[in-house]
Amino acid sequence: MTDQAVGGGHLAPGVARGAGAAARDRRGALPRRDAATARAGLPGFAGRRHELKALRADIGRAGLDTLTGRRGARSRVLLIAGRPGSGRTTLAEALLREVADDYPDGVLRAVLTGRDGAPAGLARTARDLLAALGTDVPAGADEDALAEAVRTALAGRRAALLLDDAPGAEHVEPLIPDAPDCLVVVVAQGPLTGIPDVRPCVLGGLDTASAVEVLCHYAGPTRVTVDPRTAEAVAEESGGQPAALILAGAWLAARPKLSVADLRQALLAVPLPPDLPAGARPLHRAFHLTYGSLPQPAARILRFATLAPDGLVDVHTAAALGGCTMPAAAAVLHDFVALGLLRPVDGTDPTGAGPVDAGAGPRYRLPGCLAPLSRALLHEQERPADVQLARARMLERTVRLVRSCWAAAEPDGSPARRKAAELPRPLRFPTRAAAAHWLRTHRGALLDAAAMAVADGQLDTLDRRLIAALTRALLAHQGPEAAADLYALHELVLRVAERRTVPRERAAALLNLGDLDARAGRTEQALGRYRGALEAARSVKDPTATGRALESLGDSYAELADWVRAADWYGRALELRLARGERSDAARLYARIGGAHGRTGRYEQALRDCRAAARTFRRLGDPAGQAGAEEVAAGVHECAGQLDAALGRRLEALDLARAAADGELEADLQLRIAELLDRLGDPEAARLHRAAGERCRKEIPE
């Protein structure tokens, strides 16, 4: 999480007199940011103009490679280092605003620390960056492959990359692109040892004049002007930390009858833990002063904000965590922004009236410097059972939103649409496009919610429902493009199934993961998944999963060109299908066995299998299936060098495809017939069939 200074729009009185009063006061005439601060992009920027100028100069300064006469191959890396609360993210954002025109491919942002204070993980960060770049994310790829995909996607671009709250160099180095026209800005607490030619900018506290400027910006100029000495004392006692000054100034702004001296006295009255380092005392005092003035419902929402998936809080999350109504939660969130406790993200207006439809309304983030303080309060003041209940309420709300999102992609009048229409308006999406946009922009938070539910270990009913709903929504709105996210969800299902010893669910998860591994070309890994699925399915005598696993094993060995094993596994699957009377599946397997036997030179056996497949499809009245069986037989004849027989089978298959009105199959057959005719020395006939095939392809609906 970031320690970015917070604020925006109008400065509102706080929540000390209740959410309703604060919401009314917000509409009054209140001081705005000064022009210089507005140009910098964020409040609390005073006193960093020298650092900003130095950072800009560092972008164009010669690197080690350039000094030797070569242009650097990698992106310029700038480091803004400082303790949380020093305004390091604010400075980074100000820098990126000033240089945005130099990077026409845009600014990418990633927070490298998760909601729980632990590193977010390279794989998670890389997937998020690839999604922001609009690049397909390889399903199931490891960290190295994902980082390589990020670097490849940035190669040749002029983009800026902000890596915020970096835990260390090992979380940054793999993401640095080999693109000299890109800029990487890293925000961290310490150095990036091991990354060459990093330009560090180390932030300390603000000087007294700048600190007073921040305090004046939030508290208003009048009270600071009439008591400048005390304002300077507050600034010095804050250690020049922007985060502490913002909280203190916003607290005073909410109390127009108090003076700067009252603020100083209140800050000094906040008790300090005996072992608290001196550098952490100013922020501790400012935060606890603000927290202590909150009404109980608002204080509870602040404590629970650390549970928000992906660290992002919206009105739905706040209402569910706090157990209050959405209007009350919206008012509290707006007050938190005014008090410096939250910052808006996504460029949304923090003074908006709140959402009226699902997915509408702003989202907020708890600054990283405040997250540990809020998390400590959660552990100190909330019983584990109450934390569990709040988490369950939030996940239940998320399940309902995701189901509503999925329903928006279903046809009008479908059961899902009818059920969604019965939901309250804040849980309904007005259009399919709105639902798809919500799913895309909330993707990280939704995946984190699923991971949170699984990690809890006591919410296995909720986590199953959430994963099932999210899988449906991703397939409905994104289809194959969601493969990487689906892979992560199936891994979560597998984790739950193994923890609870549920073989049926374990088999399903392994089959889904195996399919995605197979599509990504990881055939050996897919084989391991399918074997595990087969074992789990057989242990509970699940014929559906068993049949699918057997057939998938055959497909995998066919992909590896191990035709003997492929035929063996197909044969086992065929026995199961025949025993269950599943004639259509049995016919399809006969054809696959025939194709495998043909590849091993067992031509007579292969043709018998193909005849069995064609005969079964004919009895079922399936001309398309029969055409497929005839095409396999044609392939067997080709392997045997019997080109005339292969041509006859393909022409027969073409007639069947036309009878089935299968334009795609007809086009493929026409082109394959053309290839055979070329080999048989009849180029004119080949040209006619090739033209017919290309014409069929054009007529296939998109």
Side-chain angles (χ1 to χ4, degrees):
M1 294 185 179
T2 65
D3 59 289
Q4 182 167 299
V6 215
H10 292 78
L11 299 179
V15 295
R17 291 170 291 119
R24 287 191 295 272
D25 289 339
R26 193 180 298 108
R27 302 186 185 98
L30 297 165
R32 289 183 175 271
R33 291 182 286 178
D34 58 68
T37 304
R39 282 194 300 272
L42 294 164
F45 184 70
R48 301 298 189 196
R49 292 171 181 82
H50 173 75
E51 288 88 345
L52 181 60
K53 183 178 179 180
L55 285 166
R56 292 208 61 174
D58 277 339
I59 295 174
R61 190 170 298 168
L64 296 177
D65 289 338
T66 309
L67 292 174
T68 64
R70 303 189 309 270
R71 188 185 184 198
R74 304 187 81 188
S75 302
R76 168 74 76 216
V77 180
L78 302 180
L79 168 63
I80 301 176
R83 65 182 306 133
S86 61
R88 52 191 187 172
T89 305
T90 302
L91 178 58
E93 291 287 2
L95 171 66
L96 292 172
R97 283 174 180 262
E98 287 205 1
V99 302
D101 290 344
D102 297 332
Y103 299 94
D105 291 318
V107 176
L108 296 167
R109 294 172 173 82
V111 181
L112 304 190
T113 301
R115 57 178 160 74
D116 55 358
L122 180 59
R124 165 70 188 277
T125 302
R127 282 195 295 266
D128 290 346
L129 289 172
L130 288 169
L133 285 164
T135 302
D136 290 338
V137 182
D142 59 19
E143 288 186 348
D144 291 341
L146 289 167
E148 175 64 26
V150 171
R151 296 194 298 270
T152 300
L154 287 171
R157 302 197 192 205
R158 289 187 63 88
L161 176 60
L162 171 59
L163 301 177
D164 203 353
D165 207 6
E170 66 276 12
H171 299 271
V172 172
E173 200 279 335
L175 299 172
I176 301 174
D178 297 323
D181 291 328
C182 288
L183 171 68
V184 178
V185 180
V186 183
V187 172
Q189 189 162 350
L192 298 178
T193 306
I195 300 179
D197 203 23
V198 174
R199 305 295 179 138
C201 175
V202 181
L203 298 185
L206 296 171
D207 61 74
T208 301
S210 299
V212 170
E213 183 182 341
V214 174
L215 189 65
C216 180
H217 168 73
Y218 277 86
T222 303
R223 286 177 283 182
V224 174
T225 302
V226 299
D227 194 358
R229 299 290 186 188
T230 305
E232 290 176 359
V234 170
E236 291 174 1
E237 289 162 2
S238 73
Q241 294 181 19
L245 291 163
I246 288 169
L247 291 171
W251 181 89
L252 187 58
R255 293 159 180 79
K257 294 185 178 181
L258 298 187
S259 66
V260 178
D262 294 323
L263 168 63
R264 185 188 181 203
Q265 184 177 3
L267 285 169
L268 294 175
V270 174
L272 295 173
D275 57 346
L276 189 68
R281 292 173 185 174
L283 186 59
H284 178 93
R285 279 180 164 142
F287 174 78
H288 282 274
L289 175 64
T290 301
Y291 173 79
S293 68
L294 297 176
Q296 271 304 321
R300 198 155 194 254
I301 289 176
L302 183 62
R303 293 194 296 270
F304 281 125
T306 56
L307 300 178
D310 210 26
L312 296 172
V313 186
D314 60 12
V315 67
H316 287 284
T317 304
L321 287 171
C324 62
T325 65
M326 290 182 62
V332 168
L333 293 180
H334 296 325
D335 290 329
F336 282 175
V337 173
L339 289 170
L341 295 169
L342 290 179
R343 65 177 179 86
V345 297
D346 297 340
T348 51
D349 178 10
T351 63
V356 292
D357 297 302
R363 293 192 293 172
Y364 308 91
R365 188 181 292 278
L366 188 68
C369 58
L370 304 184
L373 298 169
S374 183
R375 196 178 299 118
L377 289 170
L378 179 69
H379 295 317
E380 292 170 7
Q381 301 185 19
E382 296 291 343
R383 297 179 303 172
D386 292 334
V387 174
Q388 184 83 326
L389 180 61
R391 189 183 284 115
R393 285 196 305 264
M394 178 191 66
L395 292 172
E396 179 63 41
R397 176 68 66 94
T398 305
V399 169
R400 298 177 74 191
L401 279 167
V402 174
R403 284 181 172 174
S404 178
C405 175
W406 163 60
E410 293 294 291
D412 289 336
S414 64
R417 287 292 286 269
R418 289 197 301 270
K419 193 170 183 179
E422 299 172 359
L423 293 171
R425 184 178 179 186
L427 295 174
R428 300 198 306 265
F429 291 90
T431 64
R432 175 171 182 160
H437 175 76
W438 177 82
L439 183 64
R440 185 172 60 256
T441 56
H442 287 67
R443 169 192 159 277
L446 292 170
L447 291 173
D448 193 37
M452 179 194 303
V454 170
D456 183 274
Q458 300 180 35
L459 298 170
D460 282 340
T461 299
L462 270 172
D463 60 30
R464 290 174 183 171
R465 292 169 54 208
L466 176 56
I467 292 171
L470 189 50
T471 300
R472 288 176 175 173
L474 286 168
L475 286 171
H477 287 286
Q478 298 178 15
E481 295 178 5
D485 292 340
L486 292 173
Y487 197 95
L489 292 175
H490 294 318
E491 286 187 317
L492 292 175
V493 172
L494 178 61
R495 181 176 167 187
V496 174
E498 291 179 339
R499 181 173 65 207
R500 293 178 59 87
T501 317
V502 186
R504 196 179 301 272
E505 291 185 11
R506 181 173 183 270
L510 286 169
L511 285 169
N512 289 326
L513 288 168
D515 290 345
L516 291 170
D517 283 327
R519 287 174 202 162
R522 296 187 297 271
T523 309
E524 293 289 350
Q525 188 168 333
L527 278 170
R529 302 281 198 190
Y530 293 140
R531 289 193 186 99
L534 179 60
E535 179 185 356
R538 281 176 168 169
S539 71
V540 290
K541 298 180 179 170
D542 182 343
T544 302
T546 299
R548 185 178 161 197
L550 290 169
E551 194 167 334
S552 297
L553 283 165
D555 289 340
S556 298
Y557 280 114
E559 183 67 26
L560 294 171
D562 188 340
W563 301 107
V564 173
R565 289 186 179 178
D568 177 49
W569 286 107
Y570 285 145
R572 299 184 195 190
L574 175 61
E575 290 176 9
L576 180 63
R577 299 297 188 189
L578 290 172
R580 291 173 54 82
E582 297 167 348
R583 298 169 62 196
S584 180
D585 289 322
R588 179 169 44 79
L589 284 164
Y590 269 126
R592 292 193 181 185
I593 294 170
H597 282 155
R599 295 293 187 126
T600 62
R602 300 176 63 187
Y603 303 126
E604 290 300 323
Q605 180 62 51
L607 291 173
R608 282 197 297 270
D609 293 326
C610 291
R611 284 195 294 271
R615 185 167 55 248
T616 305
F617 279 126
R618 184 172 62 251
R619 290 172 180 170
L620 292 170
D622 183 353
Q626 190 179 351
E630 293 294 345
E631 165 57 23
V632 174
V636 173
H637 283 299
E638 273 194 277
C639 290
Q642 301 164 354
L643 299 187
D644 287 321
L647 179 60
R649 288 296 185 106
R650 249 181 214 139
L651 289 170
E652 187 175 346
L654 179 61
D655 291 337
L656 289 165
R658 286 170 175 163
D662 189 331
E664 188 171 353
L665 178 57
E666 181 182 350
D668 288 341
L669 287 168
Q670 291 277 21
L671 295 174
R672 290 177 185 177
I673 289 169
E675 292 174 4
L676 264 178
L677 288 167
D678 278 330
R679 293 174 65 186
L680 288 167
D682 192 347
E684 183 60 26
R687 184 183 63 77
L688 293 174
H689 280 280
R690 189 170 289 110
E694 291 172 353
R695 188 165 55 250
C696 283
R697 283 264 172 91
K698 292 178 181 178
E699 293 173 355
I700 297 173
E702 293 292 338

